[in-house]
Amino acid sequence: MRAQDLLLVTLREPPAEAEIPSHQWLVRGGFIRRVASGIYAYMPLMWRVLRKVEAIVREEMDAIGALELRLPALQPAELWRRSGRWDTYTAGEGIMFSLRDRQGRELGLGPTHEEVVTSLAADLIRSYRQLPVCFYQLQTKFRDEIRPRFGLMRGREFIMKDAYSFHADEEDLRRYYGSMDQAYRRVFARCGLKVLAVQADSGAIGGAASQEFMAMAEAGEDLVLSSADGRYAANQERAQSLPPPAAPLKVTADECFATPGQATIEAVCAAHNLHPTQTVKVLLHRASFADGPDQPVLTVLRGDQEVNTVKLANVLGRLLAERGPLLALERLEVDTLPAHGAQLPVGFLGPDLADDAVQGTPGLVGGFLRIVDPTAADLAGFVCGANAPDQHRRAPGWRALALSFTRADVRSAQPGDRCRHDSEAVLTATRGIEVGHIFQLGRKYSSALAACFNTEGGGTEPMWMGCYGIGVSRLAQAAVEQNHDDNGMIWPVGIAPFEVVITVANGEEQEQRRLAEGLYGELRAAGVDVLLDDRVERAGVKFKDADLLGIPWRVVVGRNAARGGIELKARSAREVLDMDAPRLLPHLLPRLQRQRRGSLPETGSGVEV
RNA sequence: CGGGGCGUAGCGCAGUUUGGUAGCGCGCUUGCUUUGGGAGCAAGAUGUCGCAGGUUCAAAUCCUGUCGCCCCGACCA
C-alpha cells in the first residue's frame, strides 16, 4: 500500500471527545471516527488491524475444532422469552435494543447469541454421537450501554467473537473449557497483549465457572484483586478474602446510648472510642423481580466492610428464584420512606428494624428479607443503630435481636485483605480491561430451549453448554492502551496495520525514490505487510506520522540513498541502524517472523491442545 | 437515572458576564523559496455560532424549549 492512496488524515491535537490515551491516539491517527455516542466507524487503518485480530482468532478457534458460522443480529423476542431473558434484557437497565417490525412483532438486536445458537443446536443435534460440537462467529454485537465510554472500550455496537460449545456431559464441557482457556491465552499472546486470567462473576449470562481475561491497564474499568504468588486472581465483583480480624467488644448489658448527630460509623466510633469492626451497618435495598411487587431487603455488614452488590444480587436471585429473574437491585432512598408516620432514622438503623418500617412505600410489599454477612454474623457483641434518632445500641450478640437472618458472603474483598488460600498472602489491586470471558453454562439454556440429545443409554438429556467471548474491537484498543508513548501508538507486529513503513525522506530525489520502490517490491515479494510513504511531504511530517500510526518498523531512504544506504528503526526503540539496502531483508525477516508470534513461546505452536 | 460541563470553519479554541452583526492557531487552496522530526513568506477560500421559538431597532451573546456530545456518580446509613 502507498500512503498516497491511503487518505491519511491525522490530527495534530488530541480530540476533545477522547479521555484515555488509546482513544486519543486512535482518533488522531485516523483509525476511528465517532458517528454517535458509542458508535464508531472503523477507518481503513483500523479495519486492517481488526482483520488481523480476527485472523488470529480464526486460526486459534479452528485449531481446537470450532466451526465458524454467522448468526443473525436481528432476533425474535419469542426466542428470548423462552430462555426467560427478554424481560431482564429489555426492561429496566436492560441492554438489548428492541423494536417492532411492520407486523408488530417484537425483535431485538443481539447483544449475545445463546438463544439463537441453542435453538439451532436443538434442531440439529439428536445424538450423543454428534457431540461435542462448538460453533463460533465474528460478528457485530449491539448493547444499549448505560454509559458508552472510551471509544471502542465500551461501545454500543462492537465486534465480538463468540463461541458456544455443546457436550454430552459435564466432564466433556470441563475438558473443552480447558482447551478454550489455552486457545484464548494463545490469541492474546499473538496479539501482543499482557493479559491476566481471573476468576469472574457469571453475571446475566449465568452458569457455573467463569474466567475473565484482563488486559492490564490503568484505564481499565475493572478492578482485579490478585496475590503476589500468582495463585489467586479475581475480579473484585467475585473476589473472596479473609476480612481483617475484628477488635473484640465485650457487651455486658443490652442497652441504648445517646449518639447525638452521630449518623456515620466514623462519628460513632470517634465519639465513643470504638473501632469500626465493633459495629455493624444496615443497608436497605429494593429488589425488582419479573413476577410480583418489589422485595425489600435488609443487609447487615460489619462496620468496616463494604457491600458487593454483585454478590448480593446473586444471593437474592438464588433465594428468590421462584420470583423469576432479578431485574434490578437498588438502594432504597431511605430519607423518603415513612416509618410509623415519621421518617426512618437514617444513620441510626439497626438489624432489627421492624418489617413495617417500609410498609406503605409504593411498589414494596412484604417484610424484609434479612441477610447478614459473616463478618457481622460472627461478632459476639457489637454496636448498631437503635432504630431511633440519635440512639445506638450495644447488643450482646445476635440472640438479643430475636430475628432470623440468612447468612451469606456479600462483602466486597478489598486490596490489603489476606488471601483465603494463604493467610500470609495479601491481595493487591490492579486495573484491567476485560478482553475475553469464558463460561461453563451448564444446562440453563439447553433446558429452557429444549436442546436435548439421545444418550448412549437411550435416554434424553439437555446438552451441557459453554460459551466463550472475545471483544475483538476492544482488544484492538486495549493493545494501544498497553503500547504507546508520547509520539503515538506502538502496535504489536501481529496486529499492526502495517509491519513496515518505508519513509522516503525527500521524494524529489530520484535515487531515493528508485531505492525505496525497489525495497517496497522486495518486501512485498517476501510477504511483508509494507506501507510506502511516497507522499509529497517534508521528512519531518512523515516521521511524525510514522510514529503516530505506530508501525513497528521504519525504513528510511534518505541522504545515503545515492550509495545504497538506508536506515532501520524499530518504533519501540531509540537506536537507528544504518545499513546497505541489500542487507535489509536478511536482517529484518527473521525478526519479523519472531515478532509475528507476539509473546507466544516458540514451542507452543497453535495446534496441539 | 442523578449531578456537572460543552455545542462557534475540517481539528483545537477565544468571543457570551456588559446585545451592536464573528475571530485566533493548526489544517486547506495558489505561488515562490525551502527540503532529515509536524518549514518560511505572500495571497486566498471556508460559518444557518447545534436546532426551534421568543424578547429587542439589533441576539453567538438575554429568555424558553429541544437535540446532541463529554465527564462524574449510582455512594454513605
Side-chain angles (χ1 to χ4, degrees):
Chain A
M1 175 68 80
R2 292 162 188 273
Q4 282 276 26
D5 306 327
L6 196 55
L7 186 66
L8 199 54
V9 180
T10 55
L11 305 178
R12 288 200 184 201
E13 292 174 87
E17 74 190 48
E19 189 79 359
I20 62 172
S22 57
H23 187 194
Q24 293 184 349
W25 289 122
L26 286 174
V27 174
R28 280 191 60 183
F31 284 64
I32 58 173
R33 287 281 175 146
R34 189 176 57 74
V35 172
S37 176
I39 302 176
Y40 286 82
Y42 309 122
M43 300 311 287
L45 285 167
M46 193 71 207
W47 189 238
R48 294 181 72 92
V49 171
L50 292 171
R51 276 173 39 198
K52 289 193 177 182
V53 175
E54 290 183 355
I56 289 170
V57 169
R58 274 199 180 90
E59 284 179 28
E60 296 297 343
M61 290 299 104
D62 292 348
I64 58 168
L67 303 168
E68 184 171 3
L69 47 55
R70 181 84 139 188
L71 301 168
L74 200 55
Q75 304 174 8
E78 186 265 335
L79 211 43
W80 285 75
R81 291 221 162 84
R82 280 210 275 151
S83 71
R85 288 207 296 182
W86 179 259
D87 288 331
T88 34
Y89 269 64
T90 57
E93 303 276 272
I95 54 164
M96 180 152 63
F97 288 103
S98 57
L99 57 125
R100 284 175 190 277
D101 67 13
R102 61 178 69 231
Q103 322 281 5
R105 288 178 294 228
E106 290 181 284
L107 299 160
L109 285 174
T112 175
H113 282 73
E114 283 82 10
E115 280 77 2
V116 171
V117 79
T118 308
S119 73
L120 288 168
D123 272 356
L124 296 164
I125 298 170
R126 299 267 89 105
S127 159
Y128 72 95
R129 290 203 184 94
Q130 294 169 293
L131 296 173
V133 65
C134 181
F135 296 117
Y136 79 96
Q137 63 170 344
L138 286 148
Q139 216 226 26
T140 300
K141 294 280 189 284
F142 299 88
R143 292 186 184 176
D144 193 2
E145 293 285 350
I146 299 173
R147 184 139 98 87
R149 248 200 285 221
F150 301 149
L152 308 185
M153 287 299 188
R154 184 169 294 279
R156 295 193 294 170
E157 175 177 333
F158 59 98
I159 300 173
M160 180 169 170
K161 187 285 301 180
D162 46 327
Y164 307 89
S165 67
F166 299 88
H167 308 270
D169 55 48
E170 189 172 15
E171 182 52 38
D172 195 54
L173 167 59
R174 287 215 196 91
R175 179 195 60 79
Y176 198 77
Y177 179 86
S179 58
M180 194 59 86
D181 178 19
Q182 293 303 310
Y184 269 45
R185 291 169 197 264
R186 286 194 297 272
V187 167
F188 300 127
R190 291 178 63 184
C191 290
L193 259 80
K194 292 176 279 295
V195 164
L196 185 66
V198 309
Q199 291 180 16
D201 179 70
S202 300
I205 303 284
S210 105
Q211 179 174 272
E212 286 169 337
F213 295 87
M214 294 289 188
M216 306 320 297
E218 269 306 304
E221 295 186 276
D222 289 285
L223 195 70
V224 171
L225 296 176
S226 57
S227 64
D229 59 18
R231 287 168 61 198
Y232 185 79
N235 193 314
Q236 189 182 32
E237 294 176 352
R238 160 72 190 254
Q240 298 183 320
S241 66
L242 299 175
L249 179 68
K250 204 168 220 165
V251 179
T252 46
D254 191 349
E255 57 180 10
C256 293
F257 59 104
T259 52
Q262 296 156 18
T264 64
I265 296 218
E266 206 176 29
V268 172
C269 287
H272 301 275
N273 193 28
L274 292 163
H275 190 265
T277 61
Q278 296 169 322
T279 69
V280 303
K281 64 165 89 168
V282 171
L283 295 81
L284 304 183
H285 286 87
R286 167 201 296 268
S288 314
F289 289 86
D291 293 339
D294 294 350
Q295 169 71 47
V297 180
L298 183 152
T299 307
V300 190
L301 292 128
R302 202 172 69 192
D304 62 316
Q305 296 298 308
E306 303 296 327
V307 71
N308 179 329
T309 52
V310 173
K311 287 183 181 179
L312 181 58
N314 288 340
V315 167
L316 294 173
R318 226 178 300 130
L319 290 176
L320 300 173
E322 76 283 358
R323 303 277 308 272
L326 177 65
L327 295 183
L329 176 65
E330 53 195 22
R331 291 294 281 275
L332 278 178
E333 292 299 326
V334 185
D335 318 38
T336 63
L337 297 180
H340 311 291
Q343 283 204 335
L344 276 182
V346 180
F348 305 92
L349 302 182
D352 56 340
L353 183 65
D355 275 338
D356 62 4
V358 295
Q359 260 162 32
T361 309
L364 275 186
V365 171
F368 288 116
L369 178 63
R370 293 172 199 260
I371 294 178
V372 62
D373 184 80
T375 51
D378 292 345
L379 294 174
F382 53 85
V383 166
C384 62
N387 295 315
D390 298 334
Q391 290 286 314
H392 276 74
R393 172 182 183 182
R394 286 188 192 86
W398 289 87
R399 199 157 296 171
L401 301 178
L403 277 167
S404 75
F405 291 81
T406 301
R407 180 186 169 111
D409 171 23
V410 292
R411 66 177 275 272
S412 203
Q414 300 291 339
D417 284 355
R418 295 161 302 144
C419 297
R420 285 198 160 185
H421 72 270
D422 175 2
S423 62
E424 298 295 305
V426 165
L427 292 177
T428 53
T430 40
R431 302 204 70 86
I433 301 161
E434 182 189 345
V435 289
H437 199 160
I438 60 178
F439 302 79
Q440 290 178 30
L441 287 178
R443 301 196 280 193
K444 172 180 171 180
Y445 294 92
S446 52
S447 301
L449 297 164
C452 298
F453 69 104
N454 291 328
T455 64
E456 202 167 356
T460 301
E461 287 180 8
M463 292 178 261
W464 291 83
M465 288 179 61
C467 80
Y468 319 90
I470 291 178
V472 171
S473 40
R474 179 187 280 182
L475 182 160
Q477 184 172 336
V480 177
E481 195 60 36
Q482 285 188 347
N483 302 286
H484 65 267
D485 63 15
D486 291 346
N487 295 316
M489 301 167 258
I490 307 173
W491 287 100
V493 169
I495 61 173
F498 295 96
E499 295 171 318
V500 178
V501 56
I502 301 173
T503 302
V504 186
N506 185 344
E508 291 182 4
E509 299 276 340
Q510 282 299 326
E511 288 93 347
Q512 293 187 20
R513 287 240 307 274
R514 209 177 308 123
L515 185 56
E517 289 283 350
L519 289 173
Y520 178 57
E522 273 182 54
L523 285 166
R524 289 212 306 167
V528 176
D529 205 356
V530 56
L531 176 70
L532 176 65
D533 194 347
D534 54 352
R535 291 176 300 164
V536 187
E537 290 285 354
R538 296 164 57 86
V541 173
K542 298 187 192 181
F543 292 148
K544 284 287 185 191
D545 275 343
D547 285 352
L548 171 59
L549 301 188
I551 298 170
W553 291 98
R554 186 180 75 195
V555 175
V556 180
V557 181
R559 51 193 159 218
N560 301 330
R563 57 165 179 76
I566 57 164
E567 293 158 25
L568 178 65
K569 180 181 174 297
R571 172 64 181 81
S572 55
R574 282 191 164 278
E575 319 78 64
V576 176
L577 196 60
D578 282 292
M579 63 172 66
D580 293 331
R583 279 196 52 226
L584 176 64
L585 252 72
H587 181 88
L588 185 57
L589 279 182
R591 285 169 172 76
L592 266 182
Q593 268 153 17
R594 213 175 311 127
Q595 290 172 350
R596 281 172 183 156
R597 307 175 55 79
S599 55
L600 199 65
E602 294 281 348
T603 47
S605 102
V607 188
E608 108 300 341
V609 175

